[in-house]
Amino acid sequence: DEFAFDISADEYEQVIADILSKEICNGEGSSFVTPRKLSGKVRDFSLSKALTIYRRLIDNEFGAYWKFMFYDGKHVFLGATPEKHLVVSDGVVQMNPISGTFRKRGDHTAESLQAELFDFLEDKKERDELFMVTDEELKLMCKICPHVSACCVCLWSSVCVGVLCMRVLGE
């Protein structure tokens, strides 16, 4: 199996440093999406193998709102996301903006996991980013609902990562 990122870890780190120094520190923004693409080929690929991978995703990725597989006859797209953009139920509209990424490692001890998690939760940048995306969701919600509130900052957790999440409700 061959998998590789489109840019190296060092190049990605430089992209982030440039955004911080040239954009964020100059007041041009506070949150930027900086993608890094992972692509690969699976040896002896077949639809059966894709379904096996998908089954493992379903069995092992807990907490995801949406797990998906799309096959167009040539390409397979597999993934999972914690983000549920908009839900309407019994006259209540709910949005769940997310931000930040807390990476879990296999070598965490209970103490190191707790320390790193608290550092993540206390990080001003992470909190500010959550408030910024929540503000954007509140603006959208106010366009469709006369009564809107934001509550419940929480940590959503999957097998490999955790993200900060806010609940935005409208009626």
Side-chain angles (χ1 to χ4, degrees), residues 11-160:
E11 291 169 316
Y12 188 71
E13 188 174 316
Q14 185 59 53
V15 168
I16 300 302
D18 288 347
I19 289 171
L20 281 168
S21 66
K22 296 175 183 172
E23 304 293 336
I24 294 175
C25 290
N26 289 324
E28 297 299 325
S30 62
S31 180
F32 294 82
V33 175
T34 50
R36 186 174 177 211
K37 183 178 175 183
L38 175 69
S39 298
K41 293 183 179 183
V42 176
R43 267 185 250 120
D44 302 320
F45 177 78
S46 65
L47 186 54
S48 175
K49 198 174 253 191
L51 289 167
T52 299
I53 295 168
Y54 183 55
R55 177 63 192 204
R56 287 182 181 165
L57 181 67
I58 289 171
D59 289 345
N60 297 310
E61 179 57 58
F62 63 86
Y65 170 70
W66 184 39
K67 299 169 191 172
F68 59 89
M69 179 178 157
F70 175 77
Y71 177 61
D72 68 0
K74 184 177 177 184
H75 298 96
V76 173
F77 302 90
L78 288 160
T81 179
E83 194 161 16
K84 124 175 60 166
H85 188 69
L86 183 76
V87 175
V88 180
S89 179
D90 296 326
V92 176
V93 180
Q94 179 176 323
M95 298 173 99
N96 294 87
I98 63 171
S99 70
T101 303
F102 174 72
R103 284 176 176 62
K104 299 176 184 177
R105 300 187 327 260
D107 63 347
H108 273 126
T109 64
E111 293 79 20
S112 71
L113 178 63
Q114 181 178 5
E116 289 180 32
L117 180 58
F118 284 154
D119 287 345
F120 173 73
L121 294 172
E122 292 173 353
D123 187 319
K124 182 178 178 348
K125 178 206 157 287
E126 299 296 347
R127 286 194 316 269
D128 289 350
E129 183 180 316
L130 178 61
F131 292 137
M132 186 205 62
V133 295
T134 300
D135 185 55
E136 293 302 315
E137 300 292 340
L138 284 167
K139 289 175 194 174
L140 291 172
M141 187 74 83
C142 286
K143 290 181 179 181
I144 61 172
C145 298
H147 305 288
V148 177
S149 63
C151 62
C152 303
V153 175
C154 61
L155 181 70
W156 174 88
S157 185
S158 74
V159 173
C160 299

